[in-house]
Amino acid sequence: MEDFFDTVNGAQLLGVELIDAVGLWQMLLRYVFNFVVTGTIIHFFYYPKSRRRDYYFTFTMIALSVFFIIFLLGGVKLKVGFVLGVFAIFGIIRYRTESVPIREMTYLFTITAIAVINGLSVQMSYVELLVVNLIFVLVAWGLESEKWLKHVSCKWVLYDNIQLITPDRYGELLQDISLRTGLKVQRIEVGHIDFLRDSAMLKVYYESASREANTADNITKFPSDNERL
């Protein structure tokens, strides 16, 4: 095998180097390292709470795409400008199917940043690269761990009993919402009030027994027939 690489290494085809064994192994090694780090964050930190296979696919493919784009164009004099361009693209991108929640956007930015770092850090030692990626993993683990931070879910509720929204009847409001929803309500914020329809929009904060994120919590109206399809 070594004789084979020694033979083809440096050979050219139509003016292009046929194979660069050192560059090939460096690329594969760095990609495997990038895949392990981003895969750990996606599979063990993001997915257990969201259970969104579509975003799982999106994050994995973006990590793969950005890494190879950055790594393969690293030799071209586009490093700083290209990296800024990549972040600008993700800054103005808008998914047409649905609004992307802030948690998913944060993971998207994090995965992109890790792929950019691993793709551009050719001059960085492997120990420094390992430390940087380890910091990303540890911070993500710490923020997602329920040992350090307790998640409080919230949802919008269109409420019909506006007699209870006054500050002096806040305790009765908490009890009524808890009984009618079956949730462990912690606090309530009163939003828009419509006296003509005897209704008010409440933001209800509650303790959820499930570790999974509820993507329907921020829905404030029933979807139309076209949106359901």
Side-chain angles (χ1 to χ4, degrees), residues 29 54 83 88 90-92 106 110 135 141 146 155 178 185 200 223:
L29 179 62
D54 50 351
V83 172
F90 284 110
I92 64 175
T106 303
T110 302
I135 290 175
W141 171 79
E146 297 180 357
K155 65 168 71 255
S178 299
V185 180

Side-chain angles (χ1 to χ4, degrees), residues 11-18:
Q12 293 188 348
L13 177 64
L14 299 178
V16 179
E17 190 174 359
L18 186 61

Side-chain angles (χ1 to χ4, degrees), residues 69 95 160-161 202:
I69 289 175
Y95 290 173
D160 57 349
N161 191 5
L202 307 181

Side-chain angles (χ1 to χ4, degrees), residues 212-224:
E212 299 181 9
N214 189 348
T215 57
D217 269 344
N218 294 324
I219 295 179
T220 58
K221 64 178 182 179
F222 289 104
S224 63

Side-chain angles (χ1 to χ4, degrees), residues 163-172:
Q163 288 78 15
L164 299 183
I165 65 174
T166 56
D168 58 316
R169 305 187 68 177
Y170 181 75
E172 296 178 61

Side-chain angles (χ1 to χ4, degrees), residues 28-199:
L28 292 177
L29 179 62
R30 286 181 176 270
Y31 172 69
V32 170
F33 179 75
N34 181 76
F35 179 80
V36 170
V37 174
T38 55
T40 299
I41 293 177
I42 296 171
H43 186 77
F44 294 102
F45 303 148
Y46 168 76
Y47 186 70
K49 290 186 177 180
S50 296
R51 298 293 179 183
R52 293 291 300 269
R53 185 177 180 272
D54 50 351
Y55 282 118
Y56 193 113
F57 170 81
T58 300
F59 295 156
T60 303
M61 293 305 298
I62 284 180
L64 182 149
S65 304
V66 170
F67 173 82
F68 279 115
I69 289 175
I70 296 295
F71 187 88
L72 295 178
L73 291 182
V76 186
K77 303 302 181 181
L78 296 176
K79 290 185 177 180
V80 176
F82 188 79
V83 172
L84 294 177
V86 170
F87 282 106
I89 290 173
F90 284 110
I92 64 175
I93 243 180
R94 185 167 173 241
Y95 290 173
R96 297 294 180 180
T97 54
E98 61 175 332
S99 59
V100 182
I102 186 64
R103 184 170 181 267
E104 275 69 15
M105 284 300 299
T106 303
Y107 270 100
L108 177 60
F109 184 83
T110 302
I111 295 302
T112 304
I114 293 174
V116 170
I117 292 172
N118 293 333
L120 275 181
S121 57
V122 180
Q123 305 299 328
M124 185 183 297
S125 67
Y126 288 108
V127 174
E128 292 175 303
L129 190 62
L130 177 62
V131 170
V132 171
N133 282 265
L134 189 60
I135 290 175
F136 273 101
V137 173
L138 291 177
V139 170
W141 171 79
L143 295 177
E144 288 286 10
S145 176
E146 297 180 357
K147 296 180 180 179
W148 311 107
L149 298 173
K150 191 172 184 179
H151 177 68
V152 176
S153 301
C154 65
K155 65 168 71 255
W156 289 97
V157 175
L158 185 60
Y159 190 58
D160 57 349
N161 191 5
I162 61 173
Q163 288 78 15
L164 299 183
I165 65 174
T166 56
D168 58 316
R169 305 187 68 177
Y170 181 75
E172 296 178 61
L173 177 63
L174 279 175
Q175 184 178 9
D176 186 47
I177 294 293
S178 299
L179 290 175
R180 296 172 70 176
T181 62
L183 301 174
K184 297 180 180 179
V185 180
Q186 295 185 348
R187 62 188 178 95
I188 298 174
E189 295 177 357
V190 180
H192 176 73
I193 302 174
D194 190 341
F195 288 106
L196 294 178
R197 296 180 176 86
D198 287 334
S199 61

